[in-house]
Amino acid sequence: MSNGSRTSSTVATALRLLKLLAENPEGIGISDIARRLGIGKSSAHLLVSTLVQQDFALRNDESLYVLGITAFEVGSAVPDAARFGGELLAPMRELADISGEAVSLAIPRNRDAVIVQRFETKHVLRAEIGIGTRMPLVSCASGKVLLAAMSEAEIDNLYPDEELPRVTRHTLRSKASLKATVLPVVREHRYALTEGEYAEGITGVAAGIADASGALVAALSVVSPSSRFHPAEWVDPLLTAADAMTALLASRR
């Protein structure tokens, strides 16, 4: 058998299990899982326990297993990655090439900015960030851009308390300060900055991307170690790339 045709039977069975859970939204028990997959109950229990541990499955009140939140997040990311792919990647790639730094595209998901596209830097970033990474909106430049597009009511719905969640010692903790001093500046200048708010020693700058209706739907960012990064140098190239992506996205009707 050639290396190109080798597969993992365990992974294949786990994927079959995910499909089985999707086909049974009301839930399914271990015995039925084992029977439907043609495996022993102990093997079925091990697979299900692994999925539960990773939040791909959960046990409901009837002691049956259903899909977990991570399965839905992975599934929902597929159309997002496709929507923000193709020709939209060209401005991102150009920005990554001229900056030599990591360039990411993020979309809002509840209180997080989720990365759906990314061009890596050749340098060490000292932070594990990649496609699928969820960053609290209040802690990253992309998140601040996305928050700036929201109404006060939407922000209050996301953060009902005055104290904002802490990510690092540099994270802004006051919702009043966020709304009164940070977001107005982001709206005025069309970009946001963060330094050490998501990860110590990491600086980022981000700008928004709008769709054909004018609604801001994503944020484009450049991120680098603070020791060598001067965000002001990349604001204009970033805005140029974001505007180009906005134009491309608007042309998709």
Side-chain angles (χ1 to χ4, degrees):
M1 182 180 295
S2 66
N3 289 338
S5 62
R6 294 178 62 185
T7 60
S8 167
S9 59
T10 301
V11 173
T13 304
L15 293 174
R16 289 170 56 211
L17 173 54
L18 284 173
K19 291 181 181 180
L20 184 61
L21 294 175
E23 293 166 357
N24 293 270
E26 73 285 354
I28 186 170
I30 290 292
S31 295
D32 285 338
I33 289 173
R35 178 178 56 81
R36 298 276 293 276
L37 296 181
I39 60 177
K41 289 182 64 175
S42 60
S43 296
H45 189 271
L46 180 60
L47 282 173
V48 170
S49 297
T50 302
L51 293 184
V52 169
Q53 184 183 54
Q54 299 297 321
D55 292 328
F56 274 89
L58 59 86
R59 190 178 183 183
N60 64 20
D61 294 338
E62 286 76 39
S63 296
L64 300 176
Y65 293 94
V66 298
L67 285 176
I69 185 61
T70 301
F72 289 105
E73 290 173 345
V74 170
S76 65
V78 173
D80 288 322
R83 180 186 183 192
F84 296 106
E87 72 274 16
L88 282 179
L89 296 181
M92 280 188 69
R93 184 180 295 106
E94 182 178 355
L95 181 60
D97 288 343
I98 64 174
S99 68
E101 304 295 353
V103 174
S104 300
L105 187 69
I107 60 172
R109 280 292 181 270
N110 298 318
R111 302 206 299 184
D112 294 326
V114 181
I115 294 179
V116 294
Q117 297 289 355
R118 182 172 172 88
F119 287 94
E120 293 292 348
T121 175
K122 296 179 181 178
H123 307 290
V124 177
L125 193 56
R126 292 185 298 175
E128 293 186 4
I129 303 173
I131 292 177
T133 296
R134 304 177 69 96
M135 301 174 291
L137 292 172
V138 297
S139 72
C140 61
S142 292
K144 291 180 181 179
V145 167
L146 296 169
L147 285 170
M150 299 181 188
S151 66
E152 285 209 12
E154 289 173 316
I155 295 173
D156 288 338
N157 185 54
L158 285 176
Y159 304 102
D161 300 325
E162 164 59 21
E163 186 174 82
L164 299 173
R166 182 182 189 273
V167 181
T168 73
R169 61 191 177 94
H170 301 293
T171 309
L172 180 67
R173 303 299 306 281
S174 167
K175 182 174 69 173
S177 294
L178 175 72
K179 294 196 294 185
T181 63
V182 176
L183 298 185
V185 174
V186 175
R187 296 182 185 113
E188 178 182 357
H189 296 291
R190 297 180 56 221
Y191 67 89
L193 297 171
T194 53
E195 184 171 352
E197 296 175 55
Y198 174 72
E200 296 280 353
I202 300 297
T203 295
V205 56
I209 296 171
D211 62 13
S213 71
L216 193 143
V217 293
L220 180 68
S221 66
V222 182
V223 179
S224 172
S226 304
S227 59
R228 68 163 184 266
F229 193 50
H230 304 288
E233 296 179 6
W234 301 112
V235 168
D236 286 343
L238 172 69
L239 290 173
T240 298
D243 288 345
M245 294 178 73
T246 291
L248 288 167
L249 192 59
S251 68
R252 295 180 175 178
R253 299 180 182 275

